[in-house]
Amino acid sequence: MQFLSHVFLANVALWDRNTIGHSPVSAQPMPDKASKPMRSSPSQLQQIWDTQTLASFSVSQLDAFSALYWGDCPYLSRAIRCGRHRRGEMGTVSFSRLQRLVSAYLDEEAALAQRQAVSMMRHVWTNYEERAFGKDELRPVSGIGRNNWGGIGQTLVDALDTLWLMDFKEEFDRAALWVEQSLSFSKDLNVNLFETSIRHLGGLLSAFALSRRSGLLDVAKDLGDRLIKAFPPPRTANRSRDTSKGLGAEFKKLLHHVGLPTEALDSVLGNGKNSEVVISLPSSDINLGSGETKNLAGFISLAEAYVPIEWKYLAALTTNCSYSAAQDQVLHAINRSLNLEENGLGMIMLKQDGKAFPSAQNRLSLGSRGDSFYEYLLKDLIFSADVAEDKLTKKLWSSFRAKLPGLFAEGHQVDRTPGSSWPHRSPKEVPRGRGGALGGWHESWKDAPSPWLFLKEITPHHTVPKMDHLVCFLPGAIALEIFHSEKKSEVDLQLAHRLAQTCVHMYWRTVSDLAPEITRFTQNGLVDDKGSMHNILRPETIESLFLLWRTSKKQIYRNWGQRMLAAFYRTKTRFGFASLHNVNQPSKRRDDMPSFFVAETLKYLFLLFSPDTGLPLDQYVLSTEAHPVPILGKAHSGLKWPCHPKQTSQAKAEKPEDPKDGDQATKESTPKSTQVCDPQRVQQLEEQMKEGERQLQKIRREYGMCVSDPICWASGYTYEDCCFPVPVGNTACWDAEFTYSRCCG
Ligand code: DMJ
């Protein structure tokens, strides 16, 4: 970019003050053009920042730097004492002094931005307390409270730790008291397991971690005991059957022969190496009162199945290891069914057995239904690093990182010149393998000089050049990985930066400066997805800016955050902050303020401009709903991990202890028994194997050996998923390479 010219800088400085109408704090005269030479832009700034960072400063910031350079006080600054007498011969300050002054000025600005985030929270909370206390949500335009999540205090619970971190201690106490005295989960209410785990369970546990208020842990535990019923029962045995020998081996041979995945057998019997026996995934929905489970959408999302931080922290606090075992089981089940250790990426719609749900909508995606699965691989790795004995999380995160470039694609800068056809209509999906020139973007992220880097989605049929705003968690996750690595990879930091840049431009290209729910890409760069132009105040981009700031300390992330803070601020209504129907029509507001706006968006805005000590990232990890929990084994956690395999007893898993308060919760666990083998269960499994063998014979009789190429059954698809009904089977299984005849014989 061209740095602002001297004259332009001086002129815009005048325009800025007059237009905005700010009156200077100190009585400083306006520059007298006749008697005083124009201020010049300090070229020294280019020694402090790169051009992209310089371009990200606002005009008023540049004006302030210019003032500092010339020994003047920046307008409105209260922090900087100016020393005209210290000017050098040229009438300017020295480079080292300029650096100090600029840094003091930026610190002051950060403190102001932090205060603005606090004032936004105050605005929300005053109205919520007054008009909707204890309700799920406050409608920001009409000021009416509503129980659209079944009346379980969604906003209140999700906001507890934000109140604590922002030092609204009285408000926190009132809200915590409401949780302890009035919140009841004993009701006939169907809830989504994932949402309730990340918002309620995570919210309560984090509020407990920060405040040590034991009543909050009691409520969390009650909720945990209700939700855990959505998981299949824990299956652990210290001695698993070795399916590489005997009847198991025979059965495996048969399975292999007909092209069916042999891992399924391991998941039932174990493979003799691993004591964990995996059954399947939790149901997506559960009735809090009756414990009845359902999969309301007909399938389970990859992201929704795995929520390790909340459940493992609950296990650590209560010494009830069944909470954590359930998460380990889920991960093992998904790994087996989707072969994630090798594939790195998994389909987002799953059947309860962990295999891919047969649907043309199924896809590889880091957006909706996929996002937090990958986020949680990393976060669990950080959270459990010091206590983890099972290395699967680490393997899966590494394999995800290795396969991630397979989703990269690039598009070029948008052409906004008058007369150009921008904004363009959304492109249709492109048949897989025919991106590039036809689709207008590049299949390989190394193909083009400096285009936008984005993440495509891959369905069985198509490559889809679209990116959900949800994907914008990824640059932050990569930054967080770097934060916790000993070797800080510049290449990864650059990758995170490029992805963040794409996310930020999803914001800057709209009228409101807020990103739409979905953005598409063509040869002209970022384009609209007509049906998805709304914004529901999501946090992912600001979250990434926060993590990039903490990791790199590069000013550009705070600058982008300042602009984003202003954009969110402009959604202010009389009673809160409102979602938008269309980011290009900011006056059309939705009477809707989701709880993650207070749990995440405002919290990340606050943290981005706060000193690191407020929430040290070497001590805490933020959940996918931005609820901080202390990293296990670190000083702040004050916990010992009670769930080492030898310490975890079957009896304990089935009948959890009932800690009365926070102190008790931190006591070490005492293993009660070590069950070796359950003969009844073994008999049951042997019967299942025999039944399996009968089924297999049936398949062989009916379909012969025409199972063709087993490579077709990647990503959890099976012969049965794809080949029936004959003769075309399920077309979701076919793409350019795989055909019915190739796969089904
Ligand atoms: C939040 O509830 C969580 O961040 C979740 O992981 C994804 N969606 C929303 C925010 O966009």
Side-chain angles (χ1 to χ4, degrees):
M1 87 110 222
Q2 296 293 319
F3 190 55
L4 295 170
S5 76
H6 302 171
V7 174
F8 174 67
L9 183 57
N11 287 341
V12 288
L14 279 173
W15 170 84
D16 194 39
R17 274 176 229 120
N18 296 337
T19 313
I20 296 171
H22 282 166
S23 50
V25 174
S26 52
Q28 296 173 61
M30 298 289 278
D32 176 353
K33 281 196 231 168
S35 61
K36 206 173 168 186
M38 287 284 189
R39 278 181 191 161
S40 67
S41 61
S43 59
Q44 279 90 339
L45 294 183
Q46 292 171 69
Q47 291 170 43
I48 308 179
W49 295 295
D50 58 52
T51 46
Q52 191 184 26
T53 306
L54 285 169
S56 70
F57 283 109
S58 67
V59 166
S60 60
Q61 284 173 313
L62 290 171
D63 183 41
F65 301 149
S66 181
L68 290 171
Y69 178 67
W70 287 98
D72 292 336
C73 291
Y75 287 96
L76 301 178
S77 173
R78 288 160 195 266
I80 304 211
R81 278 197 268 134
C82 308
R84 285 162 184 272
H85 55 286
R86 290 194 213 160
R87 284 185 201 173
E89 275 178 25
M90 301 295 291
T92 59
V93 298
S94 68
F95 181 63
S96 60
R97 182 160 168 75
L98 179 68
Q99 272 184 309
R100 281 199 304 281
L101 288 171
V102 159
S103 148
Y105 180 78
L106 290 174
D107 284 349
E108 181 187 27
E109 273 208 331
L112 288 172
Q114 188 208 42
R115 276 168 55 185
Q116 191 175 354
V118 172
S119 87
M120 289 166 80
M121 181 67 186
R122 185 179 295 112
H123 176 63
V124 170
W125 208 254
T126 314
N127 284 295
Y128 178 77
E129 276 206 324
E130 202 178 301
R131 314 180 70 89
F133 195 67
K135 293 268 170 61
D136 287 332
E137 280 179 14
L138 168 67
R139 285 179 176 275
V141 178
S142 56
I144 297 167
R146 58 172 171 171
N147 279 330
N148 48 330
W149 291 79
I152 43 176
Q154 177 102 298
T155 295
L156 187 145
V157 175
D158 226 4
L160 284 168
D161 53 8
T162 306
L163 289 171
W164 182 272
L165 290 171
M166 291 186 179
D167 209 23
F168 287 109
K169 294 286 157 46
E170 285 173 21
E171 289 80 353
F172 175 89
D173 284 343
R174 286 197 289 273
L177 196 66
W178 182 87
V179 168
E180 290 158 355
Q181 297 184 346
S182 310
L183 177 60
S184 170
F185 295 117
S186 172
K187 51 165 77 182
D188 178 14
L189 176 68
N190 289 322
V191 295
N192 176 279
L193 174 68
F194 173 75
E195 296 295 349
T196 319
S197 300
I198 65 167
R199 301 193 200 207
H200 284 82
L201 194 57
L204 291 166
L205 290 174
S206 178
F208 166 74
L210 297 172
S211 69
R212 307 306 293 178
R213 199 169 160 134
S214 63
L216 296 173
L217 179 60
D218 292 341
V219 180
K221 198 184 154 308
D222 171 60
L223 178 60
D225 288 340
R226 292 170 190 280
L227 295 179
I228 195 73
K229 293 176 190 153
F231 292 84
R235 305 279 181 214
T236 56
N238 288 342
R239 194 163 59 87
S240 67
R241 298 288 292 257
D242 187 349
T243 53
S244 62
K245 294 179 193 136
L247 184 57
E250 284 303 304
F251 192 56
K252 270 184 142 181
K253 251 192 251 166
L254 283 169
L255 285 173
H256 183 72
H257 204 50
V258 296
L260 293 172
T262 51
E263 292 86 350
L265 193 63
D266 288 340
S267 76
V268 179
L269 288 183
N271 57 12
K273 295 173 202 151
N274 191 338
S275 68
E276 202 106 24
V277 177
V278 180
I279 302 298
S280 64
L281 305 187
S283 304
S284 63
D285 303 270
I286 180 161
N287 187 293
L288 285 178
S290 67
E292 196 193 335
T293 57
K294 285 194 179 109
N295 292 318
L296 287 178
F299 58 85
I300 298 154
S301 304
L302 178 65
E304 293 189 355
Y306 183 55
V307 189
I309 305 277
E310 291 79 353
W311 288 101
K312 290 191 180 180
Y313 188 45
L314 184 63
L317 289 170
T318 60
T319 72
N320 176 357
C321 296
S322 62
Y323 299 137
S324 112
Q327 290 303 309
D328 291 339
Q329 272 190 198
V330 166
L331 197 62
H332 278 266
I334 293 178
N335 178 40
R336 284 173 202 276
S337 53
L338 302 183
N339 192 13
L340 278 189
E341 247 174 288
E342 213 155 280
N343 297 336
L345 302 162
M347 287 288 184
I348 57 172
M349 295 155 81
L350 305 178
K351 297 188 293 182
Q352 193 128 23
D353 62 6
K355 291 177 194 150
F357 182 77
S359 155
Q361 291 307 309
N362 214 346
R363 61 190 62 202
L364 301 175
S365 166
L366 260 57
S368 177
R369 301 195 182 282
D371 52 353
S372 61
F373 175 77
Y374 304 102
E375 176 188 2
Y376 262 166
L377 289 177
L378 174 71
K379 289 190 170 170
D380 182 41
L381 202 53
I382 294 164
F383 176 66
S384 316
D386 288 356
V387 300
E389 283 163 56
D390 183 348
K391 303 288 177 221
L392 184 61
T393 318
K394 191 169 188 177
K395 283 185 201 154
L396 295 192
W397 173 255
S398 308
S399 124
F400 161 70
R401 288 290 272 108
K403 294 294 159 79
L404 177 62
L407 293 184
F408 290 163
E410 297 194 299
H412 284 280
Q413 190 109 16
V414 70
D415 175 12
R416 288 187 187 233
T417 46
S420 79
S421 53
W422 182 89
H424 302 270
R425 297 194 46 209
S426 302
K428 287 231 160 43
E429 282 80 33
V430 185
R432 230 204 270 173
R434 287 199 230 133
L438 279 180
W441 39 272
H442 296 266
E443 281 281 5
S444 157
W445 67 300
K446 295 197 178 86
D447 283 356
S450 187
W452 297 110
L453 176 62
F454 67 96
L455 265 77
K456 61 196 175 194
E457 298 182 350
I458 300 179
T459 77
H461 298 284
H462 296 113
T463 302
V464 188
K466 86 159 175 67
M467 195 162 138
D468 295 351
H469 183 270
L470 288 164
V471 182
C472 292
F473 83 89
L474 183 64
I478 295 172
L480 187 62
E481 180 189 28
I482 300 168
F483 182 93
H484 284 278
S485 315
E486 275 168 27
K487 207 168 144 254
K488 311 285 174 209
S489 160
E490 261 307 314
V491 174
D492 284 343
L493 199 56
Q494 187 55 23
L495 168 65
H497 179 81
R498 289 194 66 201
L499 290 169
Q501 182 177 281
T502 304
C503 290
V504 162
H505 279 271
M506 291 176 180
Y507 283 68
W508 300 168
R509 65 182 287 274
T510 73
V511 173
S512 60
D513 255 6
L514 289 170
E517 183 70 2
I518 295 175
T519 301
R520 284 183 173 264
F521 295 80
T522 68
Q523 72 272 29
N524 293 306
L526 291 68
V527 297
D528 294 349
D529 182 301
K530 280 194 170 172
S532 314
M533 296 304 288
H534 54 286
N535 176 294
I536 54 170
L537 311 174
R538 285 196 190 274
E540 290 75 20
T541 302
I542 195 71
E543 168 185 0
S544 282
L545 295 183
F546 161 66
L547 291 168
L548 276 158
W549 161 254
R550 280 288 184 96
T551 302
S552 69
K553 287 290 145 93
K554 290 187 177 161
Q555 181 61 29
I556 192 166
Y557 302 118
R558 275 191 165 172
N559 289 358
W560 283 346
Q562 284 270 8
R563 186 164 163 186
M564 227 164 264
L565 174 70
F568 280 115
Y569 188 79
R570 285 193 295 271
T571 66
K572 189 174 180 183
T573 59
R574 186 161 166 211
F575 304 111
F577 294 85
S579 305
L580 301 180
H581 286 290
N582 186 322
V583 288
N584 289 326
Q585 295 167 338
S587 57
K588 289 195 181 158
R589 288 166 171 178
R590 273 191 186 179
D591 199 1
D592 171 48
M593 181 174 60
S595 71
F596 51 69
F597 179 66
V598 276
E600 301 192 67
T601 312
L602 288 181
K603 187 185 287 148
Y604 282 125
L605 282 166
F606 170 78
L607 289 174
L608 172 62
F609 298 107
S610 299
D612 298 1
T613 45
L615 192 72
L617 287 184
D618 57 344
Q619 296 288 329
Y620 288 91
V621 63
L622 287 119
S623 75
T624 189
E625 187 76 1
H627 294 307
V629 288
I631 296 173
L632 291 173
K634 301 281 181 191
H636 280 62
S637 91
L639 285 174
K640 289 206 170 140
W641 180 238
C643 304
H644 297 292
K646 283 184 203 117
Q647 290 174 297
T648 311
S649 71
Q650 185 76 11
K652 197 169 182 58
E654 277 159 16
K655 192 175 177 309
E657 271 183 21
D658 198 359
K660 295 286 176 292
D661 58 38
D663 292 338
Q664 191 174 341
T666 61
K667 283 183 194 158
E668 256 189 275
S669 68
T670 26
K672 299 235 168 71
S673 75
T674 42
Q675 180 172 335
V676 175
C677 200
D678 173 355
Q680 255 188 336
R681 178 76 184 134
V682 171
Q683 199 190 339
Q684 207 185 351
L685 291 171
E686 275 170 356
E687 273 161 25
Q688 277 178 16
M689 275 178 64
K690 281 186 194 145
E691 173 55 27
E693 208 173 343
R694 278 194 290 275
Q695 291 291 336
L696 201 59
Q697 296 297 350
K698 201 170 149 225
I699 293 175
R700 291 175 67 188
R701 267 198 312 277
E702 283 180 30
Y703 307 111
M705 306 309 272
C706 57
V707 288
S708 194
D709 184 351
I711 299 171
C712 300
W713 323 128
S715 304
Y717 281 112
T718 63
Y719 182 77
E720 281 167 304
D721 289 335
C722 300
C723 300
F724 301 100
V726 284
V728 286
N730 177 355
T731 50
C733 300
W734 320 128
D735 65 8
E737 289 174 49
F738 295 117
T739 59
Y740 182 79
S741 56
R742 176 169 168 190
C743 300
C744 301

